[in-house]
Amino acid sequence: MSTIRFCNSLYSGVLLCPALLAVTPATAQQIVRTTEQPHSIISLAPSPHPQGNILARHAGDATFANAPANYQVFATATVGEDAGVEALTLNFAGSTTLTHIKSRNKNFVIEPGGSCHDGNVYSRGESCTLLVRFNPQGPGHRLGFIDVTNTADASPMSFGLTGNGYAPVVSFTPSVISSIPTSIAAGNGTIKSATNLAIDGGDILYIADTGNNLLKEMDSTGVITSTSLGPIATPASLAADSFGIVYTANTHGSTYYFSIFYPWGSQTAYGYAYTSATCTVSAPCAFSAVGMNYPASMSIDPYNNLFFEEGTTGAAVLPVSSISGGSGTLNLWHISDQFSYSSGSPASFAVDANDNIYTKYSFSKTTCYLIEESLYSAEYSPSATRVAGGTACGYSGDGGQARSAEISNTIGQMAFDVAGNLYFADAGNQRIRRIDAATGIISTIAGTGTQGYTNDGGPANTAEISNPTGVAVDSQGQVYFLQNAPTAGPTQVLRKVGTVGDLSYGSQLKGTPSIARVATVSNTGNDTLTLSSAPMFSGINPGDFAIDPNTTNCVLTAGATLAPRQSCKIGVIFTPGAAGSRSANLVFQDNTLAGSNTLHVVGTGTLPLPTMSITSPTSSSTLKAGTAFTFAVSVTSTSSTKPTGTVTFKVNGTTVGGPVTLSSSGTASTPVTESTANSYALSAIYSGDANYATDTASESVSVGAAAKLPVIVNLNPAVESSFSCGPTNFRVAVSSNSGSIPTGTVELTIDSSMLASATLNAGAATLSTHGLPPGSHTFLARYGGDGSHNAGTSPAMTLIGPAIGGSCGGILPTGGSAR
């Protein structure tokens, strides 16, 4: 028989390695890795533990029982109030010099006046004091560490500080969504196949990066880093307790490991082969004897009881307070309800601050529930209550009771805020949804139902998200979730629904009020929200926005309050004072940590269009090439404010002249002449002014051929003498009464046969003829016309004589000229 040991260093000066259980090699898997923090000569002297309402004001607040050595538990404190200082005594077990003392975060502040100072030298048995103020940076259990660097230790000694903080938190729906920049590299997500997130009391976000086999963390700066200690196997889920200790369930083939990451830099990882057993609250089993089977969806209550899904028996409770306290003993028992896992492998699972257990249940893809069960019922008498969903799977019910809503059959992680509101990834509906603890009302805080990745910087409820998995909520009400990038396979991006509210109005006519858009204002903290003054609009265009009393039920006067878990609605109307982008901030001055909260409102002002038409020419007009016509428009409005500005005229896209200023009656015109018969596109563009938008009127018109001018064609012999010998010449002259000179060609015919042709030059041409037989002959001149002149024929001319062009003979012309 072999003994498996669990070793843990808790800075008490004693290395604790108690035996868990003696088990046979056939039952146990070898512990893979145990790392230990080197001992320090500095330790924190124990101090009285606060009791009752000094420690916790509400049921379900962390009790910090079994605090590890070198942890100081502080009395409760309210954000913004002076909680006084507490003295921490540091004991020295050897000689050393202090070189630096610092607090890791703002939850705990080192005040002047203590006796521990940089440069001080201490001998064995001496001590000094640190004065520390609990300054909670949010509600819920708060966590911090003081690092003391000294010459005797290679690494700083860390002291844990914890206590319950109380503060209101304002959460708006909708709020601005963004992507965490460090979760993206070269356009791709840096996280793969993760399903679980966790946040500790210092608002450190932890990610079980399953695909990369890493445990990652993100601090308040938004930088994601891998922890110095890595998982022993693929991390499947994780949880963080009230002391900042992180627990992970890891898988390696068919072996399931359990890892513990201590905030002082040590890790213990071990695993045991699963053994079926009956483990109850009254008769728990040693963890080393039963191990884990398909562990998933870790969740932890305020008393540091670790809950996780267990693929065979349902779920298990593993109290880890003894581990944090240093005993090293782990026992577990199984819990169940009448619905858990009846539909297959482990799915969504969580525990709230009051030890109520939440599970997703679906059957045949037609019944989709979220159910709630008290821990007592799960341990003794399974009895569950439906929290959301029904006998149909789908999407409906936002704004109403979650029990009457529909959810999908694919649900990711569930998480709670400080006020106890439940958030879950409704992956099948591409949404993140919330169920209010006080009212049971369900709403969508992120996603539209369309798979995608859009709208960073805008309202989360109009953003597209994709198959969300892990969900976590920090003390400021910021909701983090993992989404799978639609085009990047298993690659994931971490997105955040932030604290700034966002109402977007789209386009709205100048001077015309919009319908009211409504934002939900929720107090997701654990103390009463109090307004110090009435909210006011500020920013660029505060006058464009106004609170609508008809859709607002928030009390918005100085001194008004909103209790934890309570919500109210505020409606805002947008009346743009000008065109273009318009925005403002509705600022709430209050008693939250920041002292104020902001609802951002944005819209676009648009201008009305005038009544614009082309008054000339009409599409039925008869237009002729070469003839000027008037291109005219009318730009008017029924409003008493008349349009002003200019009109630009275009023909086939080409500008005609320059912009024409509208007359006082709203008209403008310009002359247009087109030389070619064709179809023309006319357009007139109104420039717009401070009261009216730019506008365009257009139509098509046909320009016909120009009306051709009549001509006079004269035919005369060019006779040198009455008895000429040789060729006979004829002169043709073509003219128009308009004064324009005809162009083109003329022909000379004899007895109806074409004899010769020539091109007009300056309206005239000379043609020659010879070798004709003697006798009487009839001559004509024909003009073929051009683009501006009609064709024409001269009067007939008869010539009698010997052979024309002969050696002698007389010639007798008869006839004249014709039009």
Side-chain angles (χ1 to χ4, degrees):
M1 183 169 295
S2 62
T3 299
I4 296 185
R5 303 179 66 83
F6 170 57
C7 297
N8 180 22
S9 169
L10 294 173
Y11 299 103
S12 59
V14 179
L15 180 63
L16 300 174
C17 292
L20 288 178
L21 274 182
V23 294
T24 63
T27 305
Q29 299 292 327
Q30 180 183 359
I31 293 177
V32 176
R33 178 171 61 233
T34 299
T35 58
E36 302 166 3
Q37 177 75 7
H39 297 293
S40 174
I41 64 170
I42 308 175
S43 62
L44 180 65
S47 63
H49 195 75
Q51 299 296 320
N53 61 1
I54 297 175
L55 175 68
R57 299 177 188 174
H58 304 147
D61 290 341
T63 59
F64 309 109
N66 300 309
N70 292 316
Y71 266 74
Q72 176 83 7
V73 178
F74 282 71
T76 64
T78 300
V79 168
E81 294 182 357
D82 186 358
V85 297
E86 295 191 27
L88 279 63
T89 300
L90 304 186
N91 294 328
F92 296 87
S95 178
T96 188
T97 300
L98 298 184
T99 58
H100 189 57
I101 303 172
K102 71 172 184 178
S103 176
R104 291 191 202 172
N105 62 38
K106 296 180 180 179
N107 282 309
F108 298 90
V109 180
I110 300 173
E111 298 284 356
S115 60
C116 300
H117 298 289
D118 293 355
N120 284 4
V121 179
Y122 297 93
S123 300
R124 178 182 176 86
E126 291 188 321
S127 62
C128 66
T129 59
L130 282 174
L131 299 183
V132 179
R133 184 185 304 277
F134 182 23
N135 181 40
Q137 298 298 292
H141 75 264
R142 311 308 301 153
L143 181 68
F145 294 90
I146 289 179
D147 292 338
V148 179
T149 307
N150 64 91
T151 57
D153 296 325
S155 300
M157 174 60 189
S158 294
F159 301 103
L161 311 173
T162 190
N164 282 315
Y166 294 87
V169 172
V170 171
S171 295
F172 293 102
T173 304
S175 283
V176 174
I177 191 172
S178 60
S179 294
I180 303 302
T182 51
S183 71
I184 305 168
N188 292 318
T190 59
I191 305 163
K192 295 182 180 179
S193 304
T195 60
N196 266 212
L197 303 174
I199 292 179
D200 70 10
D203 284 332
I204 301 296
L205 175 72
Y206 293 94
I207 306 165
D209 190 350
T210 304
N212 289 313
N213 195 30
L214 292 170
L215 178 62
K216 293 181 176 179
E217 62 181 39
M218 185 185 77
D219 62 15
S220 59
T221 66
V223 175
I224 297 176
T225 57
S226 298
T227 58
S228 58
L229 300 172
I232 63 166
T234 304
S237 62
L238 76 168
D241 72 7
S242 56
F243 302 115
I245 301 171
V246 178
Y247 307 89
T248 67
N250 313 94
T251 62
H252 182 68
S254 60
T255 303
Y256 303 95
Y257 295 93
F258 180 55
S259 296
I260 304 173
F261 298 85
Y262 294 94
W264 46 82
S266 67
Q267 173 188 2
T268 297
Y270 51 91
Y272 300 99
Y274 173 74
T275 299
S276 178
T278 300
C279 306
T280 65
V281 64
S282 57
C285 299
F287 178 57
S288 58
V290 295
M292 293 177 163
N293 192 34
Y294 300 104
S297 300
M298 283 187 162
S299 186
I300 201 161
D301 69 7
Y303 318 107
N304 292 338
N305 294 308
L306 186 67
F307 293 72
F308 59 92
E309 295 180 298
E310 205 282 331
T312 301
T313 60
V317 181
L318 183 67
V320 291
S321 58
S322 62
I323 294 295
S324 62
S327 72
T329 300
L330 285 176
N331 294 313
L332 65 74
W333 57 91
H334 297 123
I335 58 177
S336 62
D337 60 57
Q338 72 266 39
F339 292 124
S340 279
Y341 313 110
S342 64
S343 56
S345 61
S348 301
F349 176 82
V351 62
D352 68 11
N354 297 308
D355 278 342
N356 296 307
I357 300 164
Y358 294 77
T359 308
K360 171 249 181 177
Y361 166 75
S362 62
F363 179 73
S364 299
K365 297 185 179 181
T366 58
T367 299
C368 294
Y369 291 155
L370 293 184
I371 58 175
E372 173 194 357
E373 184 179 30
S374 70
L375 178 57
Y376 179 87
S377 295
E379 290 172 335
Y380 294 103
S381 178
S383 176
T385 301
R386 179 165 52 91
V387 174
T391 56
C393 301
Y395 171 73
S396 69
D398 273 359
Q401 288 295 306
R403 291 187 301 273
S404 300
E406 292 180 356
I407 63 174
S408 74
N409 63 355
T410 306
I411 302 297
Q413 190 174 9
M414 293 185 281
F416 299 90
D417 61 23
V418 173
N421 301 307
L422 171 63
Y423 301 76
F424 65 97
D426 193 346
N429 284 318
Q430 314 297 344
R431 289 175 166 90
I432 304 295
R433 301 175 82 177
R434 182 179 79 190
I435 301 174
D436 288 354
T439 63
I441 291 175
I442 190 171
S443 59
T444 292
I445 67 165
T448 63
T450 299
Q451 183 179 11
Y453 183 13
T454 64
N455 212 42
D456 272 354
N461 63 354
T462 60
E464 293 177 1
I465 65 176
S466 177
N467 298 324
T469 55
V471 177
V473 189
D474 70 10
S475 66
Q476 299 306 307
Q478 299 181 115
V479 181
Y480 296 88
F481 67 93
L482 289 164
Q483 80 156 49
N484 293 280
T487 59
T491 303
Q492 294 174 312
V493 174
L494 180 64
R495 302 184 79 180
K496 177 182 74 173
V497 180
T499 60
V500 176
D502 197 317
L503 289 178
S504 182
Y505 290 80
S507 298
Q508 185 68 27
L509 282 176
K510 173 189 172 185
T512 303
S514 70
I515 61 171
R517 294 195 180 273
V518 179
T520 300
V521 184
S522 303
N523 182 354
T524 57
N526 60 1
D527 204 4
T528 299
L529 174 72
T530 303
L531 294 181
S532 56
S533 62
M536 296 186 64
F537 288 100
S538 64
I540 301 174
N541 311 112
D544 285 16
F545 301 89
I547 295 173
D548 174 38
N550 297 319
T551 55
T552 299
N553 61 14
C554 294
V555 180
L556 301 175
T557 56
T561 62
L562 189 66
R565 294 187 169 194
Q566 299 300 310
S567 299
C568 63
K569 296 185 181 297
I570 182 166
V572 179
I573 293 175
F574 173 41
T575 308
S581 178
R582 314 291 289 177
S583 65
N585 294 318
L586 181 59
V587 179
F588 298 74
Q589 301 292 338
D590 50 44
N591 62 329
T592 57
L593 176 66
S596 66
N597 288 275
T598 300
L599 174 63
H600 184 61
V601 286
V602 62
T604 300
T606 60
L607 297 175
L609 292 171
T611 301
M612 184 176 182
S613 62
I614 296 176
T615 57
S616 175
T618 64
S619 58
S620 60
S621 298
T622 301
L623 305 176
K624 296 296 182 181
T627 301
F629 62 89
T630 300
F631 188 180
V633 296
S634 170
V635 184
T636 60
S637 172
T638 57
S639 171
S640 59
T641 303
K642 303 301 181 184
T644 60
T646 62
V647 175
T648 299
F649 295 91
K650 292 187 176 184
V651 177
N652 285 350
T654 301
T655 301
V656 179
V660 179
T661 301
L662 282 176
S663 70
S664 59
S665 60
T667 61
S669 64
T670 189
V672 176
T673 301
E674 293 297 332
S675 61
T676 305
N678 209 336
S679 177
Y680 291 88
L682 307 183
S683 59
I685 299 93
Y686 168 54
S687 65
D689 61 14
N691 299 299
Y692 295 94
T694 184
D695 199 7
T696 300
S698 60
E699 70 176 19
S700 294
V701 296
S702 295
V703 175
K708 293 187 177 181
L709 299 172
V711 294
I712 300 171
V713 181
N714 290 306
L715 175 64
N716 292 297
V719 181
E720 296 178 359
S721 67
S722 298
F723 301 97
S724 61
C725 296
T728 300
N729 296 323
F730 290 87
R731 184 176 184 277
V732 180
V734 183
S735 63
S736 169
N737 290 333
S738 69
S740 63
I741 299 175
T743 61
T745 59
V746 291
E747 295 178 349
L748 178 66
T749 65
I750 179 171
D751 301 331
S752 299
S753 297
M754 200 270 286
L755 187 62
S757 66
T759 300
L760 290 176
N761 181 13
T766 300
L767 296 100
S768 297
T769 180
H770 59 84
L772 295 177
S776 175
H777 299 281
T778 301
F779 296 87
L780 287 175
R782 289 191 173 91
Y783 169 57
D786 62 15
S788 301
H789 300 86
N790 289 322
T793 303
S794 69
M797 175 180 289
T798 301
L799 296 181
I800 303 172
I804 297 175
S807 58
C808 60
I811 194 166
L812 178 63
T814 63
S817 62
R819 189 177 287 273

